[in-house]
Amino acid sequence: METEATPQILVVEDEEAIAHGLKFNLERKQYRVDVVGDGREALERTAERKYDLILLDVRLPGLDGFEVCSELRRRQDFTPVLMLTARSQPDDVVYGLKSGADDYVTKPFELGELLARVEVLLRRRQWSKTATGEAERGTAGGRFEFGPFWVDFETWQAKTLGGVVELSRKELSVMKVFAERPNQVISRRELLAEVWDLPNHPNTRVVDNVIVALRKAFEDNAWRPRHIHNVRGVGYRFVP
Ligand code: CA
């Protein structure tokens, strides 16, 4: 990874033992780490300085993790967010992704997995910076049109059934793969490799979650999709 500086991570976690453990282990990986214990403080801190990644617990005093993440996105702050969700609350994942989180790890988490996801998101951030730079230099303006919709890869905005909205980083990245390879069969595994950087990850549910969100945005009948088609047992085919 090209690093201009040491990546700065903000940990938002009210349970002191967990926060302390995360800080310790992230610092061992040579990241710079700040810790805050509630949602409001997280918003204050992120308004003051730019982080490369936010590790955001869902259950927090005051504002919860979903509210913090939504507010960040509303402010046009697209710092990658890795959410810590409760395994006992499967809906957390859906709410988390809806609120604009880039990825999630369920608690109790395995340290190795968490650190791997942190690394992937930081690498993605680098990629995203580069991709944005390329789009700015291009003449196409980074806008991809299909049917009555469009996706703007520069501004992250998209015209959807519900009007113009901001896509999450993952939604945008999946749309980018679709835009580059229209009418082709794209496997879940390829998407995991290209968008999540996890070619050998056994769980493809993260892919399906993003597809669900994209269908909500672009398909008036998710059971008879016009654009995002299932290819049984393999993955998807995007038809512009
Ligand atoms: Ca908590």
Side-chain angles (χ1 to χ4, degrees):
M1 183 168 63
E2 275 182 57
T3 41
E4 301 144 352
T6 311
Q8 301 240 14
I9 299 177
L10 180 66
V11 172
V12 188
E13 168 63 88
D14 58 315
E15 286 154 86
E16 257 175 53
I18 296 176
H20 186 81
L22 284 171
K23 183 172 164 66
F24 175 80
N25 284 291
L26 290 166
E27 282 176 348
R28 279 185 58 189
K29 289 274 174 186
Q30 314 298 322
Y31 302 127
R32 296 245 302 266
V33 183
D34 288 339
V35 175
V36 294
D38 73 73
R40 271 175 220 292
E41 225 184 314
L43 287 176
E44 279 165 28
R45 201 62 83 85
T46 48
E48 283 163 14
R49 72 185 314 172
K50 204 93 192 89
Y51 289 92
D52 295 294
L53 178 75
I54 302 167
L55 250 167
L56 182 59
D57 188 34
V58 167
R59 316 271 167 234
L60 294 166
L63 292 175
D64 68 24
F66 305 127
E67 292 170 303
V68 171
C69 193
S70 303
E71 175 59 21
L72 285 172
R73 300 314 187 223
R74 209 187 53 74
R75 284 183 191 168
Q76 309 276 308
D77 181 335
F78 299 112
T79 307
V81 168
L82 179 60
M83 220 168 236
L84 300 175
T85 64
R87 186 158 297 168
S88 55
Q89 306 281 332
D91 285 348
D92 277 7
V93 173
V94 177
Y95 292 130
L97 294 172
K98 272 192 183 162
S99 69
D102 295 272
D103 203 356
Y104 63 92
V105 170
T106 49
K107 272 173 147 183
F109 52 81
E110 205 205 309
L111 185 66
E113 189 198 342
L114 184 136
L115 292 174
R117 286 179 186 277
V118 164
E119 218 174 285
V120 167
L121 284 178
L122 289 171
R123 223 181 309 151
R124 278 288 147 203
R125 181 163 176 75
Q126 202 59 38
W127 167 87
S128 167
K129 279 182 189 163
T130 317
T132 309
E134 278 164 10
E136 275 163 8
R137 282 193 298 278
T139 49
R143 188 176 277 206
F144 169 61
E145 290 177 28
F146 58 101
F149 308 115
W150 49 257
V151 172
D152 192 317
F153 293 107
E154 266 181 57
T155 62
W156 297 37
Q157 288 184 317
K159 179 155 183 258
T160 69
L161 290 165
V164 175
V165 301
E166 233 144 61
L167 297 185
S168 75
R169 182 180 298 263
K170 293 290 184 245
E171 289 161 6
L172 194 78
S173 301
V174 169
M175 284 310 298
K176 193 153 205 181
V177 174
F178 284 163
E180 284 164 359
R181 295 158 64 187
N183 303 309
Q184 292 179 30
V185 177
I186 301 166
S187 72
R188 288 187 179 77
R189 234 156 247 300
E190 285 172 86
L191 286 171
L192 271 177
E194 286 182 37
V195 176
W196 280 264
D197 227 349
L198 296 170
N200 299 312
H201 198 268
N203 189 352
T204 54
R205 212 181 317 151
V206 287
V207 177
D208 299 329
N209 286 336
V210 169
I211 296 295
V212 167
L214 289 175
R215 283 207 174 121
K216 262 187 202 145
F218 301 121
E219 301 286 1
D220 46 17
N221 183 350
W223 301 105
R224 284 168 173 247
R226 280 165 200 237
H227 302 289
I228 305 168
H229 296 263
N230 275 331
V231 179
R232 241 183 123 164
V234 183
Y236 302 96
R237 184 205 314 271
F238 182 80
V239 178

